[in-house]
Amino acid sequence: MASTDLHINDRVVIAGWELTEQFVLAGGPGGQNVNKVSTAVQLFFNLRGSPALSDAVKARAARIAGRRLSKDGVLMIEASRFRSQERNREDARERLKELLLQALAPPPPPRKKTRPTKGSIERRLKAKAGRSEVKKMRERPRDD
């Protein structure tokens, strides 16, 4: 179990008891070390059951997490980028923090519909007429 709290921002702190870590064998480079030592980290966080997050943030985080979220609402982040267990542990916690920061950000305001300006309409029509002239000049000359 992860013992230290994870500080997301000045208002949100994930308690250490909410995070569970599991160490597994990692693939990739590392020689003999990769076959003997469990350096990859699987960080589990019960997103649905967390008291630190609001329902809106949980919904946004679930959408961002995608396939990393189980049907039970548990988020799993696997980190095996580094060869040491401690650096993979930090990497997994940092990736969870980034995901939650992204979910905490308010959604962008809806786009307001605008009409094109009169000048932009005229420029577009002039450009279309110019392209039309270029294409007419490519035609075979007519025998009159």
Side-chain angles (χ1 to χ4, degrees):
M1 236 162 104
S3 58
T4 59
D5 295 347
L6 180 63
H7 294 274
I8 306 301
N9 61 18
D10 54 345
R11 288 181 290 160
V12 178
V13 177
I14 304 298
W17 60 267
E18 292 187 71
L19 301 172
T20 308
E21 292 173 340
Q22 185 177 355
F23 302 101
V24 294
L25 289 174
Q32 284 268 283
N33 188 52
V34 81
N35 298 327
K36 293 180 178 179
V37 184
S38 298
T39 55
V41 178
Q42 290 179 336
L43 180 67
F44 297 96
F45 173 60
N46 187 354
L47 184 65
R48 262 192 222 140
S50 176
L53 303 172
S54 67
D55 290 337
V57 173
K58 289 177 187 179
R60 283 197 297 268
R63 194 168 46 252
I64 293 167
R67 291 178 53 188
R68 293 177 287 186
L69 191 69
S70 71
K71 290 178 180 151
D72 302 330
V74 177
L75 176 67
M76 183 191 79
I77 295 178
E78 188 165 351
S80 61
R81 209 182 308 183
F82 302 103
R83 290 187 185 189
S84 75
Q85 190 180 75
E86 190 56 40
R87 287 191 59 195
N88 281 329
R89 194 173 177 204
E90 291 169 12
D91 184 42
R93 291 171 69 90
E94 188 62 35
R95 284 170 39 200
L96 175 62
K97 181 178 177 178
E98 288 172 12
L99 187 141
L100 292 177
L101 279 173
Q102 198 175 354
L104 283 165
R111 181 185 174 275
K112 290 183 180 176
K113 292 181 181 178
T114 59
R115 295 184 66 187
T117 62
K118 190 174 181 182
S120 68
I121 292 171
E122 288 173 6
R123 285 190 298 274
R124 183 178 64 86
L125 292 175
K126 188 175 177 184
K128 284 173 66 110
R131 284 192 298 272
S132 174
E133 279 300 316
V134 167
K135 291 183 178 187
K136 280 182 184 170
M137 296 300 285
R138 291 182 191 154
E139 289 179 0
R140 279 202 173 138
R142 292 194 182 121
D143 293 332
D144 288 336

